[in-house]
């Protein structure tokens, strides 16, 4: 039986009916059309599905949509403002930290959680913060440089 | 990967959760962070008819210290435990276990109750909890009972909890002066990895005379449950802490484990690493004990 939930995604309120076995990543991508969040392994291993749930970076493939009811979700689509791209997004472009882009939403959101909590992190802190996000093409060095750049 | 269908409940108090678990005894499972359970459901290892979520029960997430005990609600996330200054000071080995678990993304979801409840032999939090002598507060409609964590694990995925019982909290007696602990885990990578071996040690010294009054060593990933090492503990108690003594204790710990061979490592390698990690965690425990007086 579908359950009616209310949640805030990128500052917009939604009211949706979901089956209990729908995951948050499927709600975002399939029902709300927010396909910037990627789905790789669907098992918590790759971090492609990373979103911020009440400000904390989590694997949205391991959260039920119903568990996100009455909570606040931020996805990659919510980072750009009227002033333009988020400094992290800009730095990823400038430092060549994106190739196929499949890991980028997750990388950027993990980095955002870090910078929100610790605006000038040391490199080991950056490496730790993205240790749940796998990249199969760029290599991590440029990603780390981009995050350092955004923190400057 | 499609999750099997289930009925979903979200109680807002521990007693309502107990009520639901009793009413649906045998067909309901507790859902905390979901990082173990949802993976098992996606892989079709488990197929519960109902899930009772603990995610909206504020009384389950408390972490507080009173009268020399540390009370950690079962719903406390691993990241909250990793970040807690109180845990770092009063139960440092637990803090190390929390920092070693999974990835930042997993730690933001995973709970201490789920780490214990899943009863994985390689789990990161049980060894430290065992050496601190932690006690589990179990709740059901029948009331509350307390069980030392060492009596809780019965085998991979198997526990002493009744079908309708939940872990409400973990209670640790804050170690006295001249007591300390250490925890180390060995995997193939630093993050996102299942442990090959993980060990926690605890030492309590007899004040300045520096005789070991109490010693506990717990070994993970080398048996069907986390194991105490009675032989290592017997070697240590009543002696002065020296490197030579820790070598003897490490050898004894190797005799108490029952490692298996799998793709992560051979049984021989695991047994050797039990010795290495036992020696190193004893050294950590001694350093902390000397600094806490
Ligand atoms: C990518 C990945 C990496 C991981 N790495 C590690 C690691 O390095 N170290 C490690 O130890 N684990 C690891 N895990 C396993 C898992 O994340 C942890 O065991 C976690 O602590 C489980 O907690 P949870 O709250 O998510 O539990 P859930 O998945 O919600 O529950 C797990 C089990 O415990 C039961 N349960 C939950 N809460 C309670 C309660 N209060 N009382 C009684 N029973 C309860 C549930 O019914 C279920 O059977 C990893 C998992 C993933 C997906
Ligand atoms: S899709 Fe969620 S972690 Fe891989
Ligand atoms: S850019 Fe392709 S996976 Fe990272």
């Amino acid at each position: 039986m579908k359950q009616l939930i209310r949640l805030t995604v990128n500052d917009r309120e939604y009211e949706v009916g979901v089956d209990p076995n729908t995951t948050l990543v499927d709600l975002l991508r399939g029902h709300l059309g927010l396909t910037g969040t990627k789905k790789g392994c669907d098992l918590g291993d790759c971090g492609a599905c990373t979103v911020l749930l009440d400000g904390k970076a989590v694997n949205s493939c391991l959260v039920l949509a119903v568990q996100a009811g009455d909570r606040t979700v931020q996805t990659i689509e919510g980072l750009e403002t009227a002033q333009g791209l988020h400094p992290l997004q800009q730095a990823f472009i400038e430092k060549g930290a994106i190739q196929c882009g499949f890991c980028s939403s997750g990388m950027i959101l993990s980095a955002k959680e870090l910078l929100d909590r610790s605006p000038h992190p040391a490199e080991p802190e950056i490496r730790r913060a993205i240790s749940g996000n796998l990249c199969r093409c760029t290599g991590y060095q440029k990603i780390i440089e981009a995050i350092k750049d955004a923190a400057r | 990967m499609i999750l099997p269908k289930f009925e979903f409940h979200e109680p807002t108090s521990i007693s309502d959760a107990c009520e639901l678990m009793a009413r649906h005894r045998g067909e309901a499972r507790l859902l905390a962070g979901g990082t173990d359970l949802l993976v098992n459901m996606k892989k079709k290892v488990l197929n519960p008819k109902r899930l009772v979520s603990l995610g909206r029960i504020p009384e389950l997430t408390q972490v507080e210290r009173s009268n020399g005990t540390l009370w950690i609600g079962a719903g406390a996330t691993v990241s909250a435990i990793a970040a807690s200054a109180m845990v770092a000071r009063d139960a440092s080995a637990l803090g190390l276990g929390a920092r070693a678990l999974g990835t930042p993304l997993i730690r933001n979801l995973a709970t201490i109750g789920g780490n214990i409840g899943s009863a994985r032999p390689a789990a990161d939090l049980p060894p430290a909890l065992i050496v601190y002598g932690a006690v589990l507060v179990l709740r059901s409609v029948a009331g509350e009972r307390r069980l030392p964590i060492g009596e809780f694990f019965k085998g991979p995925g198997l526990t002493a909890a009744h079908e309708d019982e939940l872990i409400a909290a973990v209670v640790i007696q804050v170690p006295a002066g001249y007591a300390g602990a250490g925890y180390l885990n060995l995997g193939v990578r630093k993050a996102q990895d299942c442990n090959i071996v993980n060990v926690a040690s605890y030492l309590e010294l007899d004040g300045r005379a520096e005789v070991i009054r109490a010693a506990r060593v717990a070994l993970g990933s080398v048996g069907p449950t986390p194991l105490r090492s009675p032989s290592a503990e017997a070697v240590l108690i009543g002696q002065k802490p020296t490197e030579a003594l820790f070598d003897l204790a490490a050898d004894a710990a190797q005799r108490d484990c029952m490692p298996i061979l799998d793709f992560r490592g051979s049984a021989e390698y695991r047994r050797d690493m039990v010795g290495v990690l036992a020696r190193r965690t004893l050294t950590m425990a001694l350093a902390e004990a000397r600094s806490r007086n």
Side-chain angles (χ1 to χ4, degrees), chain A residues 38-49 59-62:
Chain A
K38 302 302 176 200
K39 185 159 100 173
C41 64
D42 212 12
L43 290 173
D45 288 322
C46 74
C49 65
N59 310 91
S60 63
C61 68
L62 295 183

Side-chain angles (χ1 to χ4, degrees), chain A:
Chain A
M1 204 182 58
K2 282 209 195 305
Q3 239 166 285
L4 197 64
I5 60 162
R6 229 182 258 252
L7 76 171
T8 308
V9 183
N10 301 332
D11 296 326
R12 190 171 146 194
E13 302 250 357
Y14 292 85
E15 204 176 73
V16 276
V18 292
D19 288 313
N21 66 341
T22 302
T23 54
L24 179 57
V25 65
D26 288 340
L27 171 71
L28 293 169
R29 291 178 53 84
H31 301 233
L32 308 186
L34 295 170
T35 52
T37 304
K38 302 302 176 200
K39 185 159 100 173
C41 64
D42 212 12
L43 290 173
D45 288 322
C46 74
C49 65
T50 304
V51 301
L52 301 185
L53 183 59
D54 290 338
K56 300 270 188 201
V58 299
N59 310 91
S60 63
C61 68
L62 295 183
V63 176
L64 300 176
V66 283
Q67 290 179 294
D70 302 318
R71 300 175 72 180
T72 300
V73 179
Q74 196 172 25
T75 70
I76 194 68
E77 288 92 342
L79 258 56
E80 190 178 355
T81 62
Q83 279 79 54
L85 290 180
H86 187 276
L88 275 165
Q89 293 174 305
Q90 197 59 46
F92 268 59
I93 296 171
E94 283 166 14
K95 293 285 164 184
I98 301 183
Q99 282 188 28
C100 78
F102 204 81
C103 70
S104 310
S105 324
M107 286 287 182
I108 289 170
L109 289 164
S110 283
K112 181 168 189 301
E113 194 217 77
L114 171 68
L115 297 190
D116 287 349
R117 164 161 55 80
S118 165
H120 303 291
E123 184 168 324
E125 249 187 293
I126 296 176
R127 287 182 180 272
R128 244 175 106 73
I130 58 166
S131 60
N133 298 86
L134 304 183
C135 176
R136 289 300 80 158
C137 22
T138 304
Y140 298 96
Q141 201 50 44
K142 291 189 171 182
I143 293 172
I144 290 159
E145 278 163 23
I147 298 170
K148 273 191 191 162
D149 202 53
R152 253 200 287 277

Side-chain angles (χ1 to χ4, degrees), chain A residues 43-45 62, chain B residues 29-37 39 54 74 78 100-102 106 109-111 113-115 117-118 122-124 165-167 192-193:
Chain A
L43 290 173
D45 288 322
L62 295 183
Chain B
R29 241 186 203 264
L30 297 163
L31 174 71
T35 60
D36 179 77
L37 183 55
V39 170
L54 302 175
V78 173
L101 191 153
I106 293 289
L109 291 171
T111 65
N115 197 247
S118 59
D124 271 299
E165 230 171 7
L166 61 87
I167 304 167
Q192 193 88 301
D193 198 10

Side-chain angles (χ1 to χ4, degrees), chain B residues 167-223:
Chain B
I167 304 167
V170 183
V171 182
I172 295 174
Q173 206 68 43
V174 174
Y178 298 108
Y183 174 74
L184 286 173
N185 68 311
L186 176 74
V188 180
R189 308 175 69 238
K190 284 205 187 105
Q192 193 88 301
D193 198 10
C194 186
N195 291 323
I196 296 173
V197 176
N198 52 329
V199 177
S201 295
Y202 170 91
L203 289 175
E204 207 175 295
L205 304 177
D206 193 5
R208 220 148 272 157
E210 287 236 328
V211 170
I212 297 172
R213 190 160 58 187
R216 290 189 285 272
V217 177
L219 317 172
S221 323
V222 285

